[in-house]
């Protein structure tokens, strides 16, 4: 009996993932608000009625895509900040800066469809998905703030200032991911080697921007 339940659960998960994958592929060329349920189920190879065993509606599927898109990045970012926390004040934070930019670059290379989905839907027409993206980014910022608070450079900082700094860090990650995605698309449409040159320009600028944030952190003075 338990074996049968296990097989059914595995099949259910497989169908759910097929719906997510089909939607993500279709969203390469359109927004979620214009995507139809039947379009997704046809691409996934399942009956329309099967959709409702996994999602309430298309907005619910969109929220699941947000969690899928940002979940692995969230885990990786938390691990990176923790690993570089003890050395964040050394070498002007260069290790953390380089590691952060590389993390984003790798994520864009390995999950371009997810990055494109987040970039498009962050200000898109489906309110539940906008709220889910905002909630995930707020969670990122609060966990970054908690890591920053444990570091010597945070001595004397007010909690809301730390949260402001963390929000800048997270916003920069989103901005860099979008810029890298655009650089890759522009390079693919241009001459050979244009992709790598455009990507290097974006990563170099991202590192410079984070150095500026790091410099401001070390010299911040609360004047209130």
């Amino acid at each position: 009996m338990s074996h049968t339940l296990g097989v059914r659960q595995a099949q259910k998960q497989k169908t759910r993932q097929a719906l997510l994958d089909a939607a993500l592929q279709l969203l390469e060329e359109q927004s979620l608000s214009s995507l139809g349920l039947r379009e997704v189920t046809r691409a996934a190879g399942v009956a329309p009625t099967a959709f409702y065993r996994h999602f309430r509606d298309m907005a619910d599927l969109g929220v699941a895509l947000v969690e899928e898109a940002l979940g692995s990045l969230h885990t990786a970012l938390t691990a990176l900040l923790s690993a570089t926390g003890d050395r964040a004040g050394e070498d002007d934070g260069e290790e953390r800066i380089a590691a952060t930019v590389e993390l984003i670059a790798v994520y864009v290379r390995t999950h371009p469809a997810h990055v494109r989905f987040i970039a498009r839907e962050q200000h898109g027409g489906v309110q539940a998905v906008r709220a889910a993206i905002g909630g995930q980014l707020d969670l990122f910022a609060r966990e970054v703030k908690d890591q920053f608070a444990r570091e010597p450079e945070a001595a004397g900082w007010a909690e809301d200032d730390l949260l402001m700094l963390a929000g800048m860090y997270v916003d920069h990650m989103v901005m860099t991911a979008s810029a890298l995605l655009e650089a890759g698309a522009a390079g693919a449409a241009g001459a050979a080697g244009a992709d790598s040159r455009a990507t290097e320009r974006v990563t170099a600028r991202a590192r410079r921007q984070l150095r500026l944030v790091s410099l401001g952190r070390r010299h911040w003075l609360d004047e209130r």
Side-chain angles (χ1 to χ4, degrees), residues 20 63 69 100 118 160 179 210 217:
L20 289 171
V63 170
T100 299
I118 294 297
D160 57 344
L210 281 180
R217 178 187 183 184

Side-chain angles (χ1 to χ4, degrees), residues 144-158:
V144 171
K145 183 263 295 180
D146 290 343
Q147 175 58 45
F148 284 170
R150 292 192 285 269
E151 297 170 4
E153 292 81 4
W157 278 60

Side-chain angles (χ1 to χ4, degrees), residues 12 16 46 52 64-65 70-71 73 98 105 111 120 127-128 134 147 152-153 155 160 163 170 175 183 198-199 211 215:
K12 182 178 180 181
R16 183 180 189 276
V46 301
Y52 295 105
L65 279 175
L70 295 177
L73 181 60
H111 298 80
R120 178 181 288 138
Q127 192 278 333
Q147 175 58 45
E153 292 81 4
D160 57 344
L163 186 58
V170 172
M175 178 185 69
T199 297
R211 287 189 196 105
L215 179 65

Side-chain angles (χ1 to χ4, degrees), residues 16-202:
R16 183 180 189 276
Q17 191 60 50
L19 289 165
L20 289 171
D21 292 345
L24 191 62
Q25 183 175 8
L26 291 166
L27 288 167
E28 291 270 4
E29 303 296 338
Q30 60 184 306
S31 66
L32 183 65
S33 60
S34 67
L35 184 61
L37 183 154
R38 288 183 178 276
E39 197 176 354
V40 174
T41 54
R42 183 165 57 250
V46 301
T49 52
F51 180 93
Y52 295 105
R53 300 191 191 108
H54 305 276
F55 306 105
R56 294 187 300 274
D57 50 29
M58 288 298 294
D60 193 33
L61 180 146
V63 170
L65 279 175
V66 172
E67 294 169 353
E68 180 179 82
L70 295 177
S72 60
L73 181 60
H74 184 188
T75 302
L77 175 62
T78 302
L80 184 155
L81 291 174
S82 178
T84 59
D86 292 340
R87 304 182 301 279
E90 300 175 5
D91 67 10
D92 294 331
E94 281 296 323
E95 180 187 2
R96 171 174 283 178
I97 289 169
T100 299
V101 175
E102 178 60 18
L103 171 66
I104 301 167
V106 169
Y107 189 78
V108 172
R109 286 197 302 270
T110 55
H111 298 80
H114 286 102
V115 175
R116 187 173 293 108
F117 168 72
I118 294 297
R120 178 181 288 138
E121 300 299 330
Q122 185 177 9
H123 306 292
V126 180
Q127 192 278 333
V129 175
R130 289 200 314 272
I133 294 172
Q136 286 283 341
L137 296 181
D138 285 347
L139 177 61
F140 273 31
R142 292 190 178 281
E143 295 198 348
V144 171
K145 183 263 295 180
D146 290 343
Q147 175 58 45
F148 284 170
R150 292 192 285 269
E151 297 170 4
E153 292 81 4
W157 278 60
E159 184 168 341
D160 57 344
D161 285 345
L162 278 173
L163 186 58
M164 176 181 66
L165 174 67
M168 292 172 62
Y169 195 89
V170 172
D171 288 345
H172 180 269
M173 290 184 64
V174 174
M175 178 185 69
T176 300
S178 296
L180 285 168
L181 193 66
E182 291 176 9
D195 187 1
S196 60
R197 291 194 297 272
T199 297
E200 180 53 37
R201 284 195 295 271
V202 172

